[in-house]
């Protein structure tokens, strides 16, 4: 007696076929050679069919190269974005900024002491804590800007009194 094919058998077969569908260029070449070795000698493959298969092989190889280049380009863009963020963050060193505290959600102000990259994110060192740069809401200016004259300078900034 022959067993019937059920829906579950078809689903398992499809899942197995999809997992084995990734062929590299070596497998494609091996398939082409096997096909040529086992073709019917009374009706061999035409030159047009062989050329079409070789064109498919060439297209596959080119698509793999394009994919590798796109992945490299994406990595380069991520690196450039991180460098841009770090450059912007380093310009904030010595500045007072307003930011949202990531733990409490409150608006806080503080002086930026340093900038660093950790785990692919840029952080500012403020009051001994690492604050993600995306939490910064405003730049309040240089530390010491304002009406302070307690450093021995007079109104013209010369230091002569």
């Amino acid at each position: 007696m022959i067993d019937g094919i059920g829906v579950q058998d078809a689903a398992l077969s499809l899942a197995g076929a999809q997992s084995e569908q990734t062929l590299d260029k070596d497998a494609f070449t091996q398939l082409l050679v096997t096909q040529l070795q086992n073709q019917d000698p009374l009706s061999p493959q035409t030159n047009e069919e062989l050329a079409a298969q070789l064109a498919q092989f060439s297209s596959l190889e080119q698509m793999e190269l394009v994919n590798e280049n796109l992945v490299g380009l994406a990595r380069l863009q991520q690196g450039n974005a991180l460098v841009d963020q770090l450059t912007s963050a380093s310009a904030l060193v010595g500045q007072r900024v307003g930011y949202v505290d990531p733990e409490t959600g409150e608006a806080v102000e503080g002086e930026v002491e340093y900038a660093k990259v950790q785990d692919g994110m840029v952080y500012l060192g403020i009051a001994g804590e690492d604050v993600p740069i995306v939490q910064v809401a405003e730049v309040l200016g240089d530390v010491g800007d304002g009406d302070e004259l307690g450093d021995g300078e007079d109104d013209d900034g010369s230091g002569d009194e």
Side-chain angles (χ1 to χ4, degrees), residues 45-151:
Q45 189 175 22
T46 65
N47 289 341
E48 291 81 16
E49 292 171 335
L50 183 59
Q53 286 184 344
L54 289 173
Q56 286 177 339
F57 174 70
S58 178
S59 289
L60 173 68
E61 201 167 31
Q62 292 301 317
M63 286 190 315
E64 285 178 351
L65 290 173
V66 167
N67 188 40
E68 287 175 17
N69 289 338
L70 286 174
V71 167
L73 182 61
R75 286 184 183 142
L76 181 63
Q77 285 179 329
Q78 284 177 333
N80 286 343
L82 193 58
V83 168
D84 286 345
Q85 279 187 344
L86 185 59
T87 302
S88 298
S90 67
L92 294 175
V93 173
Q95 301 279 322
R96 287 193 62 75
V97 296
Y99 63 96
V100 177
D101 188 312
E103 295 175 9
T104 64
E106 295 180 23
V108 184
E109 293 179 10
E111 177 186 352
V112 178
E113 300 162 355
Y114 59 87
K116 71 176 185 176
V117 175
Q118 181 178 343
D119 299 326
M121 288 189 57
V122 176
Y123 292 89
L124 300 175
I126 304 173
E129 292 186 30
D130 292 338
V131 177
I133 194 168
V134 297
Q135 298 296 114
V136 174
E138 60 184 337
V139 178
L140 302 171
D142 288 334
V143 172
D145 270 0
D147 298 328
E148 305 89 14
L149 292 177
D151 59 357

